[in-house]
Amino acid sequence: MNLRPDSTNDRHAPAASKAARPPLMRLTSAGKRYDQGSTTQQALHSVDLDIHRGEFAAIVGPSGSGKTALMRMLGLLEAPTSGGYHFQGVPEQSLSDEQRLWLRRRFFGFVPQEFNLLRSASLQGNVALPLMYRGLPAERCRTAAMRALTLVGLEDCGHKMPDELSGSERGKAGIARALVCNPSVLLVDRATRPSDQPLCPDIGALLRQLNSEHQTTVVLVTQQASAATWAQRTVSLNGGAVEQDVSQEAASALH
Ligand code: ADP
Ligand code: MG
């Protein structure tokens, strides 16, 4: 039994549990320690967190609170150094490198802090890049890029260069590039420098729309408490630990 009915032909797809449907992502007492020579940095301490299919969760906390480390664990880019992580009921320790890579490509779209757009390529070229890397035919890459650009409302900007875009458009382009492979989960890491602007309302609304209309699970990592405006749930991190985990319905019921 594979993780997905449409993955049955992929030799890298790991077997899923036969138990009742587990949460999409489950961290159990998960810690993350970085060792750098003689110094050690404990980025996360014993985090328990379930994220279910179709959720839109904001992970909010000050710089250095462990948001990026958490997001990288959820996206199978890094393993916890203590505790565990299950993706669709499958323990990440049981995965081979090939299975990990397969899962990352199959299920996750990453929107990194800086969007990382290539300045020398058009928007369409940038968005098509993940598919080009996978060796898909150019025409298919172009079509998929245009579809992703349409999803984020940039269908008329495919020919533009990144320097010709506004900040909000660059953000949307970063999201389009993550969407081009049709991920089930979008992991969005908003930059955490003090100079950063609050999350652009356009981007928040777009993420909400992708979540509600396309059932994309969204995890938005940000310093901005205002992200709660768009998410259904806000998980507050401080010093590498979960301080609060509040669903927006529960929060509004209190007021
Ligand atoms: P945030 O995204 O909330 O700003 P991070 O998850 O990037 O926080 O970092 C949490 C802590 O872990 C910080 O103290 C940071 O310096 C440390 N850290 C993160 N990545 C590494 C790494 N690769 N090597 C060493 N320390 C790291
Ligand atoms: Mg960060």
Side-chain angles (χ1 to χ4, degrees):
M1 186 177 177
N2 285 328
L3 277 170
R4 276 227 159 165
D6 56 357
S7 66
T8 45
N9 291 329
D10 197 297
R11 64 198 166 90
H12 296 310
S17 141
K18 288 187 178 166
R21 225 171 175 208
L24 183 63
M25 299 179 267
R26 166 166 282 176
L27 289 166
T28 316
S29 303
K32 182 72 194 174
R33 191 189 66 240
Y34 293 103
D35 294 322
Q36 272 186 326
S38 57
T39 61
T40 292
Q41 186 68 46
Q42 189 74 35
L44 292 168
H45 306 266
S46 199
V47 171
D48 289 308
L49 183 67
D50 284 355
I51 295 190
H52 295 273
R53 286 167 191 78
E55 267 198 302
F56 181 170
I59 313 281
V60 180
S63 179
S65 57
K67 301 182 300 296
T68 298
L70 181 69
M71 198 197 80
R72 291 177 64 80
M73 290 201 305
L74 293 176
L76 292 166
L77 285 163
E78 287 184 24
T81 46
S82 57
Y85 176 47
H86 288 70
F87 179 69
Q88 301 213 110
V90 177
E92 69 80 31
Q93 307 100 297
S94 70
L95 300 170
S96 66
D97 288 348
E98 286 80 15
Q99 289 175 326
R100 206 178 289 268
L101 179 65
W102 184 89
L103 286 170
R104 277 206 301 271
R105 287 182 160 185
R106 176 67 189 80
F107 290 98
F108 292 99
F110 295 93
V111 185
Q113 293 190 176
E114 306 295 341
F115 308 133
N116 298 343
L117 298 175
L118 280 184
R119 294 180 72 184
S120 57
S122 70
L123 197 49
Q124 183 176 303
N126 264 287
V127 172
L129 218 52
L131 296 175
M132 305 281 279
Y133 286 145
R134 293 176 194 196
L136 287 167
E139 189 49 42
R140 241 182 102 187
C141 296
R142 265 195 298 276
T143 311
M146 279 317 293
R147 200 180 313 122
L149 284 170
T150 304
L151 272 178
V152 303
L154 291 182
E155 60 275 15
D156 297 328
C157 299
H159 62 283
K160 286 192 180 173
M161 303 303 277
D163 287 348
E164 296 177 273
L165 302 175
S166 69
S168 153
E169 286 172 334
R170 268 199 291 277
K172 289 180 181 177
I175 293 172
R177 196 181 43 192
L179 289 174
V180 77
C181 298
N182 200 21
S184 313
V185 186
L186 206 51
L187 296 175
V188 186
D189 198 357
R190 287 293 296 143
T192 52
R193 292 162 308 182
S195 59
D196 284 326
Q197 301 296 311
L199 181 74
C200 169
D202 277 10
I203 301 284
L206 170 62
L207 294 174
R208 187 170 184 144
Q209 182 192 349
L210 292 168
N211 171 252
S212 59
E213 290 178 15
H214 301 272
Q215 289 76 50
T216 308
T217 304
V218 179
V219 179
L220 167 66
V221 154
T222 175
Q223 241 180 306
Q224 313 289 343
S226 60
T229 317
W230 295 283
Q232 298 155 342
R233 173 183 176 194
T234 304
V235 178
S236 308
L237 270 189
N238 205 353
V242 174
E243 233 178 25
Q244 258 194 335
D245 186 347
V246 184
S247 80
Q248 255 59 288
E249 291 81 24
S252 52
L254 289 174
H255 295 116

